[in-house]
Amino acid sequence: MKVLSICHCSTASSSLPEFIIFFIMFYVHKLESARFAVVGPGHPVTAIAGGDIMLPCRLLPSMSVENMEVRWFQHEFTSFVHLYRHGEEEFGQQMAKYRDRTKLSKADITDGIVDLKIIEVRPSDEGQYRCFVGDGDFHDEAVLELKVAAVGSAPRISVAGHQDGGIRVVCQSAGWYPQPQVLWRDSKGQPLSALTETKAEEEGGFFKIKNSIVITENTKKNLSCSLRNTHVDQEKESITFSISDSFFPRTSPWMVVWSVTLVILLVSIGLTLFLFKLRGKLHTELEQRRSFSDAANVTLDPATAQRDLVLSEDGKRVSRAETQQLLPDNPEKFDSGHCVLGREGFTSGRHRWEVVVEDGVHWAVGVARKSGRGKGAISPEEGIWAVGRWGDQFQALTDPVTPLTLSQAPSRIRVCLDCDGGQVTFTDAGTEASIFTFPPGSLSGIRPWLWVGSGSQLSLSP
């Protein structure tokens, strides 16, 4: 057996305590230098397209960031979403698509809260954001993810013809983001998956879906189509569609031709009846509009205008200011949302007025209760009934929003308010085409309401 001798080196033994002391001093220095941590939500934040969203971010422990640098960015540090440093906001290198669309809550920075508000959220805003806070040589950052969602129109089902010994049925819908899940179900709610095919096209950042399924004689004849937005877990479903056995081929291909021809004939008859009914409805609506009292002389109330808005002296025109104005505080003033109310209030009767879009593609027109301050989503539940335009998208501001398909962009919108009937109707005053009618509800203490987007200008006309 060999005995191993161990050499006790005095140099090594004397340096070991010094190494431990160095490590402890380094660790303590590290703790002292880590003066704060930047904390995000820890989960994805979901926003509805066309609305506003707040991206949360704060310092722990709470401390003022008035003399620090706060930088929100996505991929490149220098090309930022929003920047605050030296006690003020800077916009020189701000990404172009966020111009006039971001705000930092300055009232909260003394508490270490650096939440970022993004206005009029778009599908292109979706992605990863970094909240960076720096103080001298020390800095920290939090990473969070923004998801954007839009729920499109209710799906429509139609017969496309004969295919592979069966009938090809098509489901179509538009205005979705992201691309929705498509599911066919039978009358008992069970899923169908035979020979399905999906085609998706983007229109202004939103998806238009066309999904087809081939129904054979041996499969279920009663079916429906539903589309689901996975970001907000919302679904829209078509009405149940039935296919008769006579539509399927038996012994001769001429039966198929006859069946498809019969379907086309029935659809044509149904379309004709629908057009006659629609014509009668439009005639009735036109007569109702004529029954409204003389046009109301509406003016805007500067006491309710948000600080970013500029009103003309006669109270007939409103536009966005380049910078926020220093205006006296008023309990009726909107503190967000770029909104303003009319001076006139209505409690009964029928009234109408028109709003002219002089410039811009971001605006909304409607009515609001006197008590409405617009602090939540713009919807009847919040005391606001309105329609609007966001780029190429037209929407009725229900909850959730209802996409509108208009043949052309209206430049003059007529607002018809029936306080007694509890109904608000919007019409294109240039073409007399109906834009949208809200379901009847309780309307009392109502005033005209306008929302003005970046670069837009609206004016009132009797």
Side-chain angles (χ1 to χ4, degrees):
M1 177 183 295
K2 292 184 179 180
V3 179
L4 297 177
S5 62
I6 300 176
C7 176
H8 294 276
C9 180
S10 60
T11 303
S13 61
S14 62
S15 63
L16 182 59
E18 294 178 1
F19 173 79
I20 295 175
I21 294 172
F22 172 80
F23 177 81
I24 293 174
M25 293 180 64
F26 175 81
Y27 185 72
V28 170
H29 176 74
K30 188 73 174 179
L31 290 177
E32 290 177 347
S33 64
R35 293 184 292 273
F36 58 81
V38 180
V39 181
H43 57 78
V45 178
T46 302
I48 303 300
D52 300 345
I53 190 64
M54 190 73 75
L55 301 183
C57 182
R58 66 178 304 159
L59 269 61
L60 291 178
S62 298
M63 63 181 68
S64 175
V65 299
E66 287 180 297
N67 298 319
M68 300 185 191
E69 176 179 330
V70 179
R71 182 185 296 260
W72 283 86
F73 65 99
Q74 288 187 297
H75 308 294
E76 297 181 10
F77 186 85
T78 55
S79 182
F80 54 82
V81 177
H82 198 92
L83 176 60
Y84 170 90
R85 63 182 175 184
H86 306 308
E88 60 183 10
E89 294 168 299
E90 299 181 11
F91 302 97
Q93 299 296 322
Q94 186 182 32
M95 297 174 68
K97 70 175 185 177
Y98 292 104
R99 294 279 168 83
D100 301 322
R101 295 179 53 233
T102 59
K103 285 187 176 181
L104 199 67
S105 180
K106 293 184 179 179
D108 298 326
I109 62 176
T110 56
D111 297 324
I113 299 174
V114 290
D115 298 351
L116 179 69
K117 183 177 184 180
I118 300 180
I119 303 169
E120 302 167 14
V121 175
R122 306 167 183 171
S124 61
D125 294 337
E126 186 172 83
Q128 193 177 81
Y129 290 77
R130 295 179 180 271
C131 174
F132 170 95
V133 180
D135 184 15
D137 296 331
F138 180 79
H139 67 269
D140 195 14
E141 67 178 41
V143 180
L144 62 154
E145 182 181 359
L146 173 64
K147 292 185 177 182
V148 179
V151 178
S153 59
R156 295 181 293 105
I157 295 182
S158 59
V159 174
H162 174 254
Q163 179 179 326
D164 301 328
I167 300 297
R168 188 164 71 94
V169 183
V170 177
C171 174
Q172 299 184 74
S173 181
W176 293 83
Y177 190 87
Q179 183 175 330
Q181 292 181 346
V182 183
L183 181 64
W184 293 89
R185 295 187 179 96
D186 61 20
S187 57
K188 295 182 180 180
Q190 298 300 312
L192 300 172
S193 59
L195 300 177
T196 61
E197 180 185 10
T198 302
K199 293 182 179 179
E201 300 176 359
E202 275 197 89
E203 292 184 346
F206 297 86
F207 285 96
K208 180 179 181 182
I209 303 299
K210 185 176 183 180
N211 183 278
S212 61
I213 185 173
V214 176
I215 301 299
T216 63
E217 194 171 4
N218 297 324
T219 56
K220 301 293 184 180
K221 310 302 189 306
N222 298 326
L223 69 160
S224 64
C225 169
S226 64
L227 278 73
R228 172 178 290 274
N229 188 308
T230 56
H231 280 5
V232 291
D233 198 27
Q234 289 189 22
E235 180 175 308
K236 285 196 175 181
E237 186 174 11
S238 70
I239 60 174
T240 301
F241 190 85
S242 299
I243 301 179
S244 172
D245 289 338
S246 61
F247 288 175
F248 297 93
R250 290 290 196 281
T251 56
S252 170
W254 291 105
M255 287 293 294
V256 178
V257 176
W258 180 84
S259 298
V260 174
T261 303
L262 179 61
V263 171
I264 296 174
L265 179 61
L266 291 174
V267 171
S268 299
I269 294 174
L271 181 60
T272 302
L273 293 175
F274 171 78
L275 291 175
F276 271 109
K277 188 175 180 180
L278 180 61
R279 181 180 178 185
K281 181 179 179 181
L282 292 175
H283 178 74
T284 302
E285 289 180 355
L286 184 59
E287 291 299 321
Q288 289 177 345
R289 291 178 197 142
R290 291 171 179 170
S291 69
F292 276 74
S293 61
D294 292 338
N297 184 17
V298 176
T299 56
L300 299 175
D301 185 357
T304 66
Q306 197 261 353
R307 297 177 185 274
D308 288 347
L309 301 183
V310 177
L311 274 61
S312 61
E313 291 185 2
D314 60 0
K316 288 289 188 177
R317 182 178 290 105
V318 59
S319 60
R320 285 276 288 273
E322 293 296 330
T323 58
Q324 196 172 76
Q325 305 174 88
L326 296 176
L327 300 176
D329 192 20
N330 189 300
E332 292 187 335
K333 188 180 297 297
F334 284 88
D335 54 12
S336 64
H338 316 302
C339 307
V340 62
L341 293 174
R343 291 180 183 272
E344 296 73 15
F346 306 104
T347 57
S348 62
R350 295 180 172 184
H351 312 272
R352 65 178 174 87
W353 61 91
E354 294 180 0
V355 181
V356 179
V357 182
E358 297 187 8
D359 194 12
V361 293
H362 301 285
W363 49 262
V365 173
V367 298
R369 287 196 184 98
K370 291 181 180 179
S371 58
R373 290 293 306 278
K375 291 184 178 296
I378 299 176
S379 67
E381 287 73 12
E382 296 294 329
I384 300 176
W385 294 259
V387 297
R389 178 180 183 181
W390 287 264
D392 296 330
Q393 299 294 315
F394 295 91
Q395 298 174 343
L397 302 184
T398 53
D399 189 9
V401 297
T402 301
L404 302 176
T405 303
L406 305 181
S407 59
Q408 63 183 40
S411 60
R412 193 180 188 94
I413 301 94
R414 181 182 299 124
V415 183
C416 296
L417 171 65
D418 184 356
C419 295
D420 300 330
Q423 200 165 61
V424 184
T425 300
F426 298 89
T427 307
D428 186 336
T431 62
E432 294 298 333
S434 177
I435 296 176
F436 189 77
T437 299
F438 280 86
S442 177
L443 298 177
S444 61
I446 295 298
R447 296 166 72 175
W449 175 91
L450 298 178
W451 178 91
V452 185
S454 177
S456 297
Q457 180 171 279
L458 303 176
S459 63
L460 292 168
S461 175

